[in-house]
Amino acid sequence: MTNGGLLVAEEEKKRRTEVTIYNQQYTIVGEESSEQVRAIAELIDGKMKELKENNPYLDSTKLAVLTAVNIGNDYLNVLKKMEEE
């Protein structure tokens, strides 16, 4: 049975988790546990606050992009390290 293009069984697996990132409320919908989603939100929130502290004149769009670039860099460094092991 479908519901808006999604199988009902798939939709039932989705969880809604409320998080706050950089003083903004978001509802994240996905299959990950609420604990996982909250951990991700805390990571992003912390990185945004750290970058804003070091770059007080960044607007929120540039801050979000810079945060994504930093987290992407961290991710690629972890992948590279895992390949070397």
Side-chain angles (χ1 to χ4, degrees), residues 8-85:
V8 173
E10 289 177 8
E11 190 174 303
E12 290 173 1
K13 293 180 188 176
K14 306 265 184 204
R15 292 180 182 83
R16 291 186 174 311
T17 305
E18 300 287 330
V19 297
T20 302
I21 300 173
Y22 205 66
N23 301 317
Q24 295 290 318
Q25 286 288 124
Y26 296 93
T27 300
I28 308 297
V29 179
E31 295 179 8
E32 292 79 12
S33 70
S34 293
E35 293 79 18
Q36 175 82 358
V37 172
R38 285 188 191 100
I40 293 166
E42 287 176 17
L43 171 74
I44 294 167
D45 183 63
K47 182 64 80 172
M48 288 183 80
K49 288 176 180 174
E50 173 188 329
L51 291 171
K52 182 66 172 186
E53 191 173 298
N54 294 324
N55 303 281
Y57 300 106
L58 286 177
D59 63 35
S60 33
T61 300
K62 289 181 181 175
L63 180 61
V65 171
L66 186 58
T67 299
V69 168
N70 274 263
I71 291 173
N73 182 59
D74 293 347
Y75 174 72
L76 290 178
N77 285 337
V78 168
L79 289 178
K80 184 178 179 181
K81 192 173 189 177
M82 288 174 58
E83 288 176 2
E84 292 172 355
E85 292 178 355

